[in-house]
Amino acid sequence: MTRPGPSALDIAKATLLTPFGVDEVATHKVFGTILAHRADDADLFFQYNRAESWTLEEGQVKSGSFSIDQGVGVRVIAGEKTAFAYADDITPDALQAAAGVTRAIAAQGGSGVPGEAVLRPGHSLYAPVDPLAQFDDAAKVRILETLERFARAADPRVKQVIGRLSGEYDVVLIARADGSLGADVRPLVHLSVTVIAEQQGRREQGHQGAGGRLGYGFFTDELLKHLAEDAVRQALVNLESRPAPAGVMSVVLGPGWPGILLHEAIGHGLEGDFNRKGTSAFSGRVGERVAAPGVTVIDDGTLPDRRGSLSVDDEGHPTTRSVLIEDGILRGYLQDRLNARLMGVAPTGNGRRESYASIPMPRMTNTFMLGGNEDPREIIGSVKRGLYAVNFGGGEVDITSGKFVFSASEAYWIEDGQIQYPVKGATLIGNGPDALTHVAMIGNDMCLDPGIGMCGKDGQSVPVGVGQPTIRIEGLTVGGTA
């Protein structure tokens, strides 16, 4: 995909280097300081971030925020040890001071000679737009007002509507000791709506959202109407819900966002750091069967405009499409540069960090299960007694054991192959690696989530994407309220 206009590197240099008197000579000098000691790797991560958010409730803007942050992180790696320092002052003196701190882990006797600068081009996955500058404040508020209007018009039982809009403009430049340069301009927008409906004194809520690496123009009236009406639909469904049955049973997971269970219960266990340290349930199992036949899991950071996509990762490496599990066989892990080097494999472009003040680690981008051949209606029709989970709220997973607990925000009881009624309070309890081996049917309706995912790890949060087709899993424990 070709995008016109200035390159990401041009924008990054004009935003992060030129205004502060930092140039190639200055960065060369920093690496010279670092490499006077022996080190296996070193990088500089420059970042400029501008972000805003708006919340509308009861027809009024109840809260808003705006922030600007910029700085540089300096990292040096020697063996398994990492030294890291950062500064919010992007100047040659600040860079030198940070470099001096990081030298503490390295032994004497380095080359002292950094590589010659070479651009490592990334993908062109999204336009380098600034969402915050596209619309004036009144237009941003109108998006929320329109969303609320559609929600209230959908049903008279709607009592409360809460809309949240956020945007981000992120510019990064990564300089490596080997001379390679990577740059990215990352727009990100997100919109969510929560609806509370009331009937005969009972109140229930529904929730929907969307977003991606786009501008605010993504939120057309057509999309706003869809989001509002689907949130209302969920709230009305929950008004009719009954207590969820409990026990071990067949569970059908719907397409799209339910892939968050795959992300949490399985995806984290496929990240390189956990496997190098032997703390994942998947450690040392490459080439082995870890899932039922037909289960193929992909992590792909190269999907255009998707929330979890990156033109280059936060180590300057172009993102990739990584096949993690193929037809049930484990093929590999997600790698940043540190863990890839220590495990003797190539990086996969999954080195990610929350900001310049954080160290990178292997993280997911857009993680999903490929579709199969089954008709989703036939999958539901095959269940004698079980649960159909369409949407999820919160969840927890233990990486070492793979055990997970997830709460369903929209679910239905199935009996004799027919959806009987909506249920409330259903909690899925299981073990991720074990659940993969009990996938019995895979639908032909694979889709990605609407662009709402966030992933936390070691105190850092990054945007991600998830997805899957309708699938049937045998023998999951459902904690219910019935």
Side-chain angles (χ1 to χ4, degrees):
M1 184 183 303
T2 301
R3 306 277 192 187
S7 70
L9 182 61
D10 291 337
I11 295 173
K13 284 183 175 180
T15 303
L16 292 162
L17 302 185
T18 305
F20 307 104
V22 177
D23 55 17
E24 186 177 326
V25 173
T27 58
H28 217 66
K29 184 177 179 182
V30 171
F31 285 124
T33 300
I34 292 171
L35 298 179
H37 293 63
R38 283 198 296 271
D40 292 301
D41 205 357
D43 59 26
L44 308 177
F45 182 83
F46 299 87
Q47 182 182 34
Y48 169 85
N49 180 277
R50 195 165 75 255
E52 68 177 1
S53 67
W54 305 79
T55 300
L56 185 137
E57 188 175 353
E58 298 175 353
Q60 297 181 343
V61 175
K62 289 295 181 75
S63 65
S65 66
F66 177 81
S67 66
I68 296 177
D69 194 17
Q70 63 188 25
V72 58
V74 181
R75 180 179 63 147
V76 182
I77 299 171
E80 296 186 23
K81 298 183 295 182
T82 297
F84 179 74
Y86 68 90
D88 56 11
D89 183 17
I90 305 176
T91 64
D93 287 345
L95 284 170
Q96 283 293 332
V101 173
T102 61
R103 289 189 306 172
I105 68 162
Q108 293 288 347
S111 68
V113 181
E116 292 301 317
V118 177
L119 174 64
R120 173 174 279 182
H123 310 290
S124 184
L125 304 176
Y126 31 81
V129 299
D130 181 352
L132 283 67
Q134 280 188 316
F135 290 2
D136 61 24
D137 291 349
K140 297 166 189 174
V141 173
R142 278 197 296 273
I143 291 174
L144 291 170
E145 291 173 338
T146 303
L147 184 69
E148 180 183 49
R149 185 173 70 252
F150 282 136
R152 292 193 178 278
D155 195 278
R157 288 169 286 183
V158 172
K159 300 302 179 184
Q160 190 173 3
V161 180
I162 303 170
R164 295 183 176 88
L165 177 69
S166 63
E168 184 175 323
Y169 178 65
D170 200 44
V171 182
V172 301
L173 187 148
I174 306 99
R176 306 201 56 80
D178 62 8
S180 60
L181 291 173
D184 202 3
V185 179
R186 302 167 176 171
L188 189 67
V189 295
H190 178 255
L191 177 69
S192 68
V193 57
T194 299
V195 169
I196 297 174
E198 183 176 3
Q199 178 176 274
Q200 297 177 347
R202 177 178 177 178
R203 288 195 163 207
E204 296 289 350
Q205 71 175 26
H207 184 83
Q208 190 53 275
R213 295 203 176 279
L214 304 146
Y216 285 135
F218 172 64
F219 300 117
T220 63
D221 282 3
E222 182 181 10
L223 178 58
L224 297 178
K225 189 171 190 289
H226 166 74
L227 296 176
E229 291 181 348
D230 196 60
V232 172
R233 180 196 62 78
Q234 288 181 41
L236 299 183
V237 164
N238 287 327
L239 282 174
E240 305 296 331
S241 64
R242 308 179 193 178
V248 178
M249 62 186 72
S250 298
V251 173
V252 177
L253 302 179
W257 177 242
I260 189 63
L261 191 151
L262 176 81
H263 167 103
E264 293 288 357
I266 296 148
H268 279 297
L270 298 175
E271 292 169 339
D273 49 354
F274 296 124
N275 288 280
R276 177 177 65 82
K277 298 171 185 176
T279 57
S280 167
F282 295 101
S283 297
R285 300 188 64 189
V286 172
E288 295 182 14
R289 178 166 294 282
V290 297
V295 173
T296 296
V297 179
I298 306 289
D299 184 88
D300 192 347
T302 70
L303 303 177
D305 299 328
R306 295 298 305 182
R307 182 174 174 83
S309 295
L310 299 170
S311 297
V312 295
D313 72 0
D314 294 330
E315 298 180 306
H317 194 289
T319 51
T320 62
R321 178 183 173 92
S322 300
V323 179
L324 302 174
I325 299 173
E326 184 178 26
D327 197 20
I329 307 299
L330 181 61
R331 296 302 184 193
Y333 307 118
L334 299 174
Q335 301 287 4
D336 62 352
R337 291 179 62 91
L338 167 62
N339 289 281
R341 177 176 57 81
L342 294 173
M343 296 179 75
V345 297
T348 58
N350 289 90
R352 304 191 65 185
R353 59 180 112 198
E354 183 176 273
S355 76
Y356 67 88
S358 310
I359 62 171
M361 63 183 84
R363 304 291 298 271
M364 286 172 277
T365 56
N366 303 295
T367 311
F368 50 91
M369 181 189 297
L370 294 186
N373 300 315
E374 305 284 351
D375 186 321
R377 293 170 297 182
E378 293 179 1
I379 295 177
I380 294 171
S382 70
V383 177
K384 180 69 176 174
R385 288 171 58 85
L387 189 77
Y388 177 36
V390 179
N391 275 303
F392 284 100
E396 295 181 0
V397 63
D398 181 272
I399 301 301
T400 302
S401 66
K403 292 180 180 178
F404 63 81
V405 178
F406 274 86
S407 60
S409 58
E410 181 184 354
Y412 302 84
W413 180 246
I414 305 172
E415 199 160 322
D416 295 325
Q418 299 291 323
I419 294 176
Q420 299 297 318
Y421 50 82
V423 297
K424 183 181 180 181
T427 301
L428 301 189
I429 305 167
N431 177 286
D434 182 65
L436 277 183
T437 66
H438 289 88
V439 174
M441 301 179 76
I442 303 174
N444 59 10
D445 58 343
M446 198 288 285
C447 66
L448 299 173
D449 78 283
I452 57 177
M454 285 295 290
C455 172
K457 177 179 175 180
D458 289 350
Q460 295 189 41
S461 293
V462 296
V464 296
V466 301
Q468 67 172 44
T470 298
I471 61 174
R472 173 179 166 177
I473 303 177
E474 300 301 323
L476 277 186
T477 298
V478 176
T481 53

